Coordinates of all heavy atoms in Angstrom, one line a residue:
D1 N 152.2 19.9 -41.2 CA 152.2 18.8 -40.2 C 151.7 17.4 -40.7 O 152.2 16.4 -40.4 CB 151.5 19.3 -38.9 CG 152.1 20.5 -38.2 OD1 153.3 20.3 -37.8 OD2 151.5 21.5 -38.2
M2 N 150.6 17.6 -41.4 CA 150.0 16.3 -41.9 C 150.9 15.6 -42.9 O 151.1 14.4 -42.8 CB 148.6 16.7 -42.6 CG 147.8 15.4 -43.0 SD 146.2 15.9 -43.8 CE 145.4 16.6 -42.3
I3 N 151.4 16.4 -43.8 CA 152.3 15.8 -44.9 C 153.6 15.2 -44.2 O 154.2 14.2 -44.7 CB 152.6 16.7 -46.0 CG1 153.0 16.0 -47.3 CG2 153.6 17.8 -45.7 CD1 153.1 16.7 -48.5
A4 N 154.1 15.9 -43.2 CA 155.4 15.5 -42.6 C 155.3 14.2 -41.9 O 156.2 13.4 -42.0 CB 155.8 16.6 -41.6
F5 N 154.1 14.0 -41.3 CA 154.0 12.7 -40.5 C 153.2 11.6 -41.2 O 152.8 10.6 -40.6 CB 153.3 13.0 -39.1 CG 154.2 13.9 -38.3 CD1 154.0 15.2 -38.2 CD2 155.3 13.4 -37.7 CE1 154.8 16.0 -37.4 CE2 156.2 14.1 -36.9 CZ 156.0 15.5 -36.8
R6 N 152.8 11.9 -42.4 CA 152.0 10.9 -43.2 C 153.0 9.9 -43.8 O 154.0 10.1 -44.3 CB 151.3 11.6 -44.4 CG 150.5 10.6 -45.2 CD 149.9 11.4 -46.4 NE 151.0 11.7 -47.4 CZ 150.8 12.6 -48.3 NH1 149.8 13.4 -48.4 NH2 151.8 12.9 -49.2
E7 N 152.6 8.6 -43.6 CA 153.4 7.5 -44.0 C 152.8 7.0 -45.3 O 151.7 6.5 -45.4 CB 153.5 6.5 -43.0 CG 154.4 5.3 -43.4 CD 154.6 4.3 -42.3 OE1 154.8 4.7 -41.1 OE2 154.7 3.1 -42.6
Q8 N 153.6 7.1 -46.4 CA 153.2 6.5 -47.7 C 153.8 5.1 -47.8 O 155.0 4.9 -47.7 CB 153.7 7.4 -48.8 CG 153.2 8.9 -48.7 CD 153.6 9.7 -49.9 OE1 153.5 9.2 -51.0 NE2 154.0 10.9 -49.7
N9 N 152.9 4.2 -48.0 CA 153.4 2.8 -48.0 C 153.9 2.4 -49.4 O 153.3 1.7 -50.1 CB 152.2 1.9 -47.6 CG 152.7 0.5 -47.1 OD1 153.9 0.1 -47.4 ND2 151.9 -0.1 -46.2
F10 N 155.1 2.9 -49.6 CA 155.8 2.5 -50.9 C 156.2 1.1 -50.9 O 156.2 0.5 -52.0 CB 157.1 3.4 -51.1 CG 156.8 4.9 -51.2 CD1 157.1 5.8 -50.1 CD2 156.3 5.4 -52.4 CE1 156.8 7.1 -50.3 CE2 156.1 6.8 -52.5 CZ 156.3 7.6 -51.4
K11 N 156.5 0.5 -49.7 CA 156.9 -0.9 -49.7 C 155.8 -1.8 -50.2 O 156.0 -2.7 -51.0 CB 157.3 -1.3 -48.3 CG 157.8 -2.7 -48.2 CD 158.3 -3.0 -46.7 CE 158.9 -4.4 -46.7 NZ 159.4 -4.7 -45.3
S12 N 154.5 -1.5 -49.7 CA 153.4 -2.3 -50.2 C 153.2 -2.3 -51.7 O 152.9 -3.2 -52.4 CB 152.1 -1.9 -49.5 OG 152.2 -2.3 -48.1
R13 N 153.3 -1.0 -52.2 CA 153.2 -0.8 -53.6 C 154.2 -1.5 -54.4 O 153.9 -2.2 -55.5 CB 153.3 0.7 -54.0 CG 152.0 1.5 -53.7 CD 152.2 2.9 -53.7 NE 152.9 3.4 -54.9 CZ 153.4 4.7 -55.0 NH1 153.2 5.5 -54.1 NH2 154.0 5.0 -56.1
L14 N 155.4 -1.6 -53.9 CA 156.5 -2.3 -54.6 C 156.3 -3.8 -54.6 O 156.5 -4.5 -55.6 CB 157.9 -1.9 -54.0 CG 159.1 -2.6 -54.7 CD1 159.2 -2.1 -56.2 CD2 160.4 -2.2 -53.9
I15 N 155.9 -4.3 -53.4 CA 155.7 -5.7 -53.3 C 154.5 -6.2 -54.2 O 154.5 -7.2 -54.9 CB 155.4 -6.1 -51.8 CG1 156.7 -5.9 -51.0 CG2 154.9 -7.5 -51.7 CD1 156.5 -6.1 -49.5
E16 N 153.4 -5.3 -54.2 CA 152.3 -5.7 -55.1 C 152.7 -5.7 -56.5 O 152.3 -6.6 -57.3 CB 151.2 -4.7 -54.9 CG 150.5 -4.8 -53.6 CD 149.5 -3.6 -53.4 OE1 149.3 -2.8 -54.3 OE2 148.9 -3.5 -52.3
W17 N 153.6 -4.8 -56.9 CA 154.1 -4.8 -58.3 C 154.9 -6.0 -58.7 O 154.8 -6.6 -59.7 CB 154.9 -3.5 -58.6 CG 155.3 -3.3 -59.9 CD1 154.6 -2.9 -61.0 CD2 156.6 -3.6 -60.5 NE1 155.4 -2.9 -62.2 CE2 156.7 -3.3 -61.8 CE3 157.8 -4.1 -59.9 CZ2 157.8 -3.5 -62.6 CZ3 158.9 -4.3 -60.7 CH2 158.9 -4.0 -62.0
T18 N 155.8 -6.4 -57.7 CA 156.6 -7.6 -58.0 C 155.8 -8.9 -58.1 O 156.1 -9.8 -58.8 CB 157.7 -7.7 -57.0 OG1 157.2 -7.8 -55.6 CG2 158.7 -6.5 -57.0
Q19 N 154.8 -8.9 -57.2 CA 153.9 -10.1 -57.1 C 153.2 -10.2 -58.5 O 153.0 -11.3 -59.1 CB 153.0 -10.0 -56.0 CG 153.6 -10.3 -54.6 CD 152.7 -10.1 -53.5 OE1 151.6 -9.5 -53.6 NE2 153.0 -10.6 -52.3
K20 N 152.7 -9.1 -59.0 CA 152.0 -9.1 -60.3 C 152.8 -9.7 -61.4 O 152.3 -10.3 -62.3 CB 151.5 -7.7 -60.5 CG 150.7 -7.5 -61.9 CD 150.1 -6.2 -62.1 CE 149.3 -6.1 -63.4 NZ 148.7 -4.8 -63.6
H21 N 154.1 -9.3 -61.3 CA 155.0 -9.7 -62.4 C 155.8 -10.9 -62.1 O 156.7 -11.3 -62.8 CB 156.0 -8.6 -62.8 CG 155.3 -7.4 -63.4 ND1 155.0 -7.3 -64.7 CD2 154.7 -6.3 -62.8 CE1 154.3 -6.2 -65.0 NE2 154.2 -5.5 -63.9
K22 N 155.4 -11.6 -60.9 CA 156.1 -12.8 -60.5 C 157.6 -12.7 -60.4 O 158.4 -13.5 -60.9 CB 155.7 -13.9 -61.4 CG 154.2 -14.3 -61.4 CD 153.9 -15.4 -62.4 CE 152.5 -15.8 -62.3 NZ 151.5 -14.7 -62.6
L23 N 158.0 -11.6 -59.6 CA 159.4 -11.3 -59.4 C 159.8 -11.5 -58.0 O 159.0 -11.3 -57.1 CB 159.7 -9.9 -59.8 CG 159.4 -9.4 -61.2 CD1 159.4 -7.9 -61.3 CD2 160.2 -10.1 -62.2
S24 N 161.0 -12.0 -57.7 CA 161.5 -12.1 -56.4 C 161.9 -10.8 -55.8 O 162.4 -9.9 -56.6 CB 162.7 -13.1 -56.3 OG 163.8 -12.5 -57.0
I25 N 161.7 -10.5 -54.6 CA 162.0 -9.3 -53.9 C 162.6 -9.5 -52.5 O 162.1 -10.4 -51.8 CB 160.9 -8.3 -53.9 CG1 161.3 -6.9 -53.3 CG2 159.7 -8.8 -53.0 CD1 160.3 -5.8 -53.4
D26 N 163.6 -8.7 -52.1 CA 164.1 -8.9 -50.8 C 164.6 -7.5 -50.3 O 165.0 -6.6 -51.2 CB 165.4 -9.8 -50.9 CG 166.0 -10.1 -49.5 OD1 165.2 -10.1 -48.6 OD2 167.2 -10.2 -49.4
F27 N 164.6 -7.3 -49.0 CA 165.1 -6.0 -48.4 C 166.2 -6.4 -47.5 O 166.1 -7.2 -46.6 CB 164.0 -5.4 -47.6 CG 162.9 -4.8 -48.4 CD1 161.8 -5.6 -48.8 CD2 162.9 -3.5 -49.0 CE1 160.7 -5.2 -49.6 CE2 161.9 -3.0 -49.8 CZ 160.8 -3.8 -50.1
R28 N 167.4 -5.9 -47.9 CA 168.6 -6.3 -47.2 C 169.2 -5.1 -46.4 O 169.5 -4.0 -47.0 CB 169.6 -6.8 -48.2 CG 170.9 -7.5 -47.6 CD 171.7 -8.1 -48.7 NE 170.9 -9.2 -49.4 CZ 171.2 -9.7 -50.6 NH1 172.3 -9.2 -51.2 NH2 170.4 -10.6 -51.1
L29 N 169.5 -5.3 -45.1 CA 170.1 -4.3 -44.3 C 171.6 -4.2 -44.7 O 172.3 -5.2 -44.5 CB 169.9 -4.6 -42.9 CG 170.5 -3.6 -41.9 CD1 169.9 -2.2 -42.0 CD2 170.4 -4.0 -40.4
V30 N 172.0 -3.1 -45.2 CA 173.5 -3.0 -45.6 C 174.3 -2.5 -44.5 O 175.5 -2.9 -44.3 CB 173.5 -2.1 -46.9 CG1 175.0 -1.9 -47.3 CG2 172.7 -2.6 -48.0
E31 N 173.8 -1.5 -43.8 CA 174.6 -0.9 -42.8 C 173.8 -0.2 -41.7 O 172.7 0.2 -41.9 CB 175.4 0.3 -43.5 CG 176.5 0.9 -42.7 CD 177.3 1.9 -43.5 OE1 176.7 2.9 -44.0 OE2 178.5 1.7 -43.7
E32 N 174.3 -0.3 -40.5 CA 173.7 0.3 -39.3 C 174.7 1.2 -38.7 O 175.8 0.8 -38.3 CB 173.2 -0.7 -38.4 CG 172.4 -0.1 -37.2 CD 171.8 -1.1 -36.2 OE1 171.7 -2.3 -36.7 OE2 171.4 -0.7 -35.1
Q33 N 174.4 2.5 -38.6 CA 175.3 3.5 -38.0 C 174.6 4.3 -36.9 O 173.4 4.2 -36.7 CB 175.9 4.4 -39.1 CG 176.7 3.8 -40.1 CD 177.3 4.8 -41.1 OE1 176.7 5.8 -41.3 NE2 178.5 4.4 -41.6
K34 N 175.4 5.1 -36.2 CA 174.9 6.0 -35.2 C 175.4 7.4 -35.5 O 176.6 7.7 -35.7 CB 175.2 5.6 -33.8 CG 174.5 4.3 -33.4 CD 174.7 4.0 -31.9 CE 173.8 2.8 -31.5 NZ 174.0 2.5 -30.1
E35 N 174.4 8.4 -35.6 CA 174.8 9.8 -35.8 C 175.1 10.4 -34.5 O 175.1 9.8 -33.4 CB 173.6 10.5 -36.5 CG 173.4 10.0 -37.9 CD 172.3 10.8 -38.6 OE1 171.5 11.6 -37.9 OE2 172.2 10.7 -39.8
E36 N 175.4 11.7 -34.5 CA 175.6 12.5 -33.3 C 174.4 12.4 -32.4 O 173.3 12.4 -32.9 CB 175.8 14.0 -33.7 CG 177.3 14.3 -34.1 CD 177.5 15.8 -34.3 OE1 177.0 16.6 -33.4 OE2 178.0 16.1 -35.3
G37 N 174.6 12.3 -31.1 CA 173.5 12.1 -30.2 C 173.1 10.6 -30.1 O 172.1 10.3 -29.5
N38 N 173.9 9.7 -30.7 CA 173.7 8.3 -30.6 C 172.4 7.9 -31.3 O 171.8 6.9 -30.9 CB 173.6 7.8 -29.1 CG 174.3 6.5 -28.9 OD1 175.2 6.2 -29.6 ND2 173.8 5.8 -27.9
T39 N 172.0 8.7 -32.3 CA 170.8 8.3 -33.0 C 171.1 7.3 -34.1 O 171.9 7.5 -35.0 CB 170.2 9.6 -33.8 OG1 169.9 10.6 -32.8 CG2 168.9 9.3 -34.5
P40 N 170.4 6.1 -34.1 CA 170.7 5.1 -35.1 C 170.2 5.4 -36.5 O 169.1 6.0 -36.6 CB 170.1 3.8 -34.5 CG 168.9 4.4 -33.7 CD 169.4 5.7 -33.1
T41 N 170.9 5.0 -37.5 CA 170.4 5.1 -38.9 C 170.6 3.8 -39.5 O 171.5 3.0 -39.2 CB 171.1 6.1 -39.7 OG1 172.5 5.9 -39.8 CG2 170.9 7.5 -39.1
F42 N 169.7 3.4 -40.5 CA 169.8 2.1 -41.2 C 169.8 2.3 -42.7 O 169.0 3.1 -43.2 CB 168.5 1.3 -40.8 CG 168.4 1.1 -39.3 CD1 167.8 2.0 -38.5 CD2 169.0 -0.1 -38.7 CE1 167.7 1.8 -37.1 CE2 168.8 -0.3 -37.3 CZ 168.2 0.7 -36.6
L43 N 170.7 1.6 -43.3 CA 170.8 1.7 -44.8 C 170.3 0.3 -45.4 O 170.9 -0.7 -45.1 CB 172.2 2.0 -45.2 CG 172.5 2.2 -46.7 CD1 171.8 3.4 -47.2 CD2 173.9 2.2 -47.0
T44 N 169.3 0.4 -46.2 CA 168.7 -0.8 -46.8 C 168.6 -0.8 -48.3 O 168.4 0.3 -48.9 CB 167.2 -1.0 -46.2 OG1 167.3 -1.2 -44.8 CG2 166.5 -2.2 -46.9
N45 N 168.9 -1.9 -48.9 CA 168.7 -2.1 -50.4 C 167.4 -2.9 -50.7 O 167.1 -3.8 -50.0 CB 169.9 -2.9 -50.9 CG 171.2 -2.1 -51.0 OD1 171.1 -0.8 -50.9 ND2 172.3 -2.8 -51.2

């Protein structure tokens, strides 16, 4: 239960890494869909 609901902040780690190397970074929403039951899903690059 703990590991399932634990949020690992990979985004912060990646941003810190790009800042250290003076690199530009962007998160772009590519696609938004809905699964069965009208559940939304988001595809990001």
Side-chain angles (χ1 to χ4, degrees):
D1 294 296
M2 185 178 295
I3 199 170
F5 296 101
R6 182 185 68 199
E7 184 172 319
Q8 300 185 45
N9 203 337
F10 296 105
K11 184 176 180 179
S12 290
R13 282 167 48 189
L14 183 62
I15 290 173
E16 287 173 7
W17 183 80
T18 57
Q19 289 175 341
K20 179 174 182 179
H21 293 276
K22 297 179 173 60
L23 302 168
S24 67
I25 184 170
D26 184 33
F27 292 89
R28 188 171 301 162
L29 180 64
V30 178
E31 190 175 64
E32 182 176 347
Q33 293 183 332
K34 290 190 177 180
E35 295 185 342
E36 279 186 45
N38 218 30
T39 303
T41 61
F42 303 86
L43 184 68
T44 295
N45 286 343

